[in-house]
């Protein structure tokens, strides 16, 4: 707002008296009706004087009318900001934030696994081997939501057998409100940059698609992740024969992916797949 000489009253904040600074008016002395001697205080606390004329009015403006602080803001916007800040800091006051915000009621063994065994490990390198139907997807969803709330997870890749990708996507969306995108051949070809791993932060990929395609692995190597999860980890097998370890392509890919992430989680209901030597 352009200021006239009459607007330069004591206490007013004025821009244009000193280039690049907002000064506070201390006193005004008039000379007729077209000139004043302005006494002002600069931001560093020093005081100075300057003669101002009508021709200077076009360079002057009032920075703040009246008091610089007040209570006339939009109450709705203030409440929205306060709620956003409350959610941002919720994990500091609610140690089970993901449990209370999920659309599922976790069982005691799931809470124990996530909050006592997994979350305290930084960084996480963990094999979650539980019975079939024990809810390893739910435990993974709890882990993802808690890491997100703590600011420790932005990018997550889940690698699972092809028959389970839609199930993973649906459960994470419905129960934890976390939207993952499934990696497809069409999606790779339609990728804007040519590298879908760089464009998507939350992604589900098929195990065999990744382990057999060296071009996809090359694209993956150009990215880094906060968490990579391998479901049905017993499929990442290796056999010991004549003191030599023979690794499958799935196993080789998993070892490669492990180096691209801070947190690494393996899920399986049959860790040794009936072959104890291979598990060892």
């Amino acid at each position: 707002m352009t200021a006239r000489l009459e607007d330069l009253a004591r206490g007013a904040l004025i821009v244009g008296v000193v280039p690049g600074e907002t000064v506070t008016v201390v006193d005004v002395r008039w000379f007729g009706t077209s000139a004043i001697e302005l006494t002002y205080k600069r931001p560093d606390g020093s005081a100075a004087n300057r003669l101002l004329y009508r021709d200077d009015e076009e360079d002057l403006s009032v920075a703040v009318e009246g008091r610089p602080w007040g209570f006339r803001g939009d109450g709705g916007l203030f409440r929205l900001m306060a709620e956003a800040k409350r959610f941002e800091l919720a994990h500091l006051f609610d140690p089970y934030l993901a449990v209370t915000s999920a659309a599922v009621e976790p069982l005691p063994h799931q809470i124990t696994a996530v909050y006592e065994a997994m979350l305290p490990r930084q960084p996480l390198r963990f094999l979650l081997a539980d019975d079939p139907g024990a809810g390893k997807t739910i435990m993974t969803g709890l882990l993802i939501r808690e890491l997100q709330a703590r600011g420790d997870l932005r990018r997550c890749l889940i690698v699972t057998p092809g028959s389970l990708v839609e199930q993973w996507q649906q459960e994470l969306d419905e129960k934890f409100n976390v939207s993952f995108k499934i990696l497809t051949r069409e999606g790779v070809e339609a990728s804007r940059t040519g590298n879908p791993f760089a464009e998507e932060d939350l992604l589900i990929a098929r195990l065999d698609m990744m382990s057999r395609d060296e071009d996809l692995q090359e694209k993956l190597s150009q990215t880094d992740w906060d968490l990579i999860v391998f479901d049905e980890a017993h499929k990442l097998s290796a056999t010991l024969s004549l003191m030599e370890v023979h690794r499958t392509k799935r196993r080789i890919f998993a070892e490669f992916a492990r180096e691209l992430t801070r947190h690494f989680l393996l899920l399986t209901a049959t860790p040794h797949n009936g072959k104890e030597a291979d598990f060892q």
Side-chain angles (χ1 to χ4, degrees):
M1 171 181 165
T2 301
R4 302 180 69 247
L5 296 182
E6 286 78 5
D7 298 325
L8 306 188
R10 290 181 181 180
L13 301 179
I14 306 299
V15 177
V17 178
V18 179
E21 294 185 6
T22 300
V23 303
T24 303
V25 177
V26 175
D27 192 28
V28 177
R29 182 184 177 191
W30 282 90
F31 295 95
T33 60
S34 59
I36 62 172
E37 180 184 8
L38 180 70
T39 303
Y40 59 89
K41 183 169 66 176
R42 302 178 64 178
D44 61 6
S46 62
N49 296 70
R50 179 181 170 184
L51 289 174
L52 295 174
Y53 303 91
R54 292 293 180 187
D55 293 342
D56 296 317
E57 289 182 339
E58 61 183 18
D59 298 325
L60 304 176
S61 61
V62 178
V64 178
E65 292 184 286
R67 298 171 59 184
W69 302 100
F71 297 92
R72 295 178 295 176
D74 188 317
L77 290 178
F78 178 80
R79 180 176 177 82
L80 179 64
M81 179 278 296
E83 284 294 288
K85 198 65 179 178
R86 186 171 69 86
F87 282 126
E88 180 184 348
L89 302 176
H91 69 278
L92 299 176
F93 305 93
D94 183 1
Y96 300 98
L97 176 64
V99 175
T100 56
S101 62
V104 63
E105 188 169 340
L107 298 173
H109 74 276
Q110 297 168 342
I111 295 176
T112 299
V114 174
Y115 290 92
E116 296 183 15
M118 296 165 66
L119 276 175
R121 287 175 164 82
Q122 296 287 334
L124 178 72
R125 290 288 189 271
F126 201 77
L127 170 65
L128 180 58
D130 213 334
D131 295 333
K136 290 183 286 296
T137 305
I138 291 177
M139 289 184 259
T140 303
L142 288 173
L143 176 68
I144 290 172
R145 289 293 290 120
E146 285 292 346
L147 291 176
Q148 285 181 326
R150 288 159 168 74
D152 197 25
L153 187 151
R154 183 177 65 87
R155 291 173 48 78
C156 177
L157 172 66
I158 297 176
V159 184
T160 182
S163 60
L164 299 176
V165 292
E166 286 84 4
Q167 177 182 329
W168 269 95
Q169 183 187 47
Q170 181 178 356
E171 289 204 26
L172 290 173
D173 185 32
E174 292 180 351
K175 295 176 180 177
F176 299 97
N177 195 29
V178 181
S179 299
F180 277 77
K181 185 174 181 180
I182 296 175
L183 180 69
T184 62
R185 293 292 179 186
E186 294 77 11
V188 174
E189 295 174 359
S191 172
R192 177 173 47 84
T193 64
N195 188 345
F197 300 108
E199 297 177 12
E200 299 293 336
D201 289 336
L202 302 174
L203 201 59
I204 300 175
R206 293 172 171 82
L207 175 59
D208 287 337
M209 177 180 173
M210 293 301 305
S211 62
R212 296 172 183 174
D213 193 322
E214 294 183 358
D215 183 55
L216 279 180
Q217 294 179 27
E218 173 60 27
K219 296 179 186 297
L220 181 64
S221 69
Q222 301 169 16
T223 61
D224 56 358
W225 299 82
D226 300 311
L227 171 66
I228 293 182
V229 180
F230 276 84
D231 190 19
E232 302 291 319
H234 55 274
K235 296 181 179 293
L236 313 175
S237 58
T239 57
L240 181 64
S241 176
L242 300 177
M243 301 306 294
E244 184 177 355
V245 178
H246 300 277
R247 300 176 298 167
T248 61
K249 286 187 176 181
R250 294 170 176 171
R251 173 64 172 250
I252 294 172
F253 169 65
E255 293 178 352
F256 158 76
R258 179 185 58 194
E259 305 306 316
L260 304 176
T261 180
R262 170 173 165 77
H263 301 299
F264 188 69
L265 177 61
L266 302 175
L267 309 175
T268 179
T270 53
H272 50 68
N273 207 20
K275 301 177 183 178
E276 187 174 348
D278 289 353
F279 176 59
Q280 293 175 352

